[in-house]
Amino acid sequence: MAQEKELCIQEMARRICERRKQLRLTQEELAEKSDMTTQAVSYAESGKRAMRPDSLRKLAAALCVSADYLLTGDIVDKDLLILADKLRLLTPSQIHTVEAIIDECIHLYTEQ
């Protein structure tokens, strides 16, 4: 049981770090966006200890993902809504380009 908890914390830490890097944020920038200390972000990414729910919520908001994603790696409706909000910022032409990219990804990944 303790080993499962440790694995879960490590996986969550990996997702936090990967998402931060995907957004091209430093730990300092993420700390500022999430109203946390750089040390707290570093601890979250190292997986050395579990996070409090409020810290998890702050990190999820700053990383533009759901807390569910950070906890489990699952994409939930909230994640899709965040993506839809981003799409609303694009022009119709840009949306068609994104759609074509998604279609190509689906084609590539279903081919394997």
Side-chain angles (χ1 to χ4, degrees), residues 2-4 9 21 28-29 34 40 44-45 49 55 62-63 68 97-98 101 105-106:
Q3 193 174 12
E4 265 183 44
I9 292 171
K21 290 177 180 178
E28 293 80 12
E29 291 167 331
S34 60
E45 288 189 4
R49 64 171 89 148
S55 297
L63 293 170
D68 288 287
T97 300
V98 170
I101 292 168
C105 288
I106 291 169

Side-chain angles (χ1 to χ4, degrees), residues 83 87 90-107:
L83 184 57
L87 289 171
L90 301 177
T91 65
S93 174
Q94 291 168 330
I95 288 175
H96 291 302
T97 300
V98 170
E99 182 182 23
I101 292 168
I102 291 170
D103 288 343
E104 185 62 26
C105 288
I106 291 169
H107 176 73

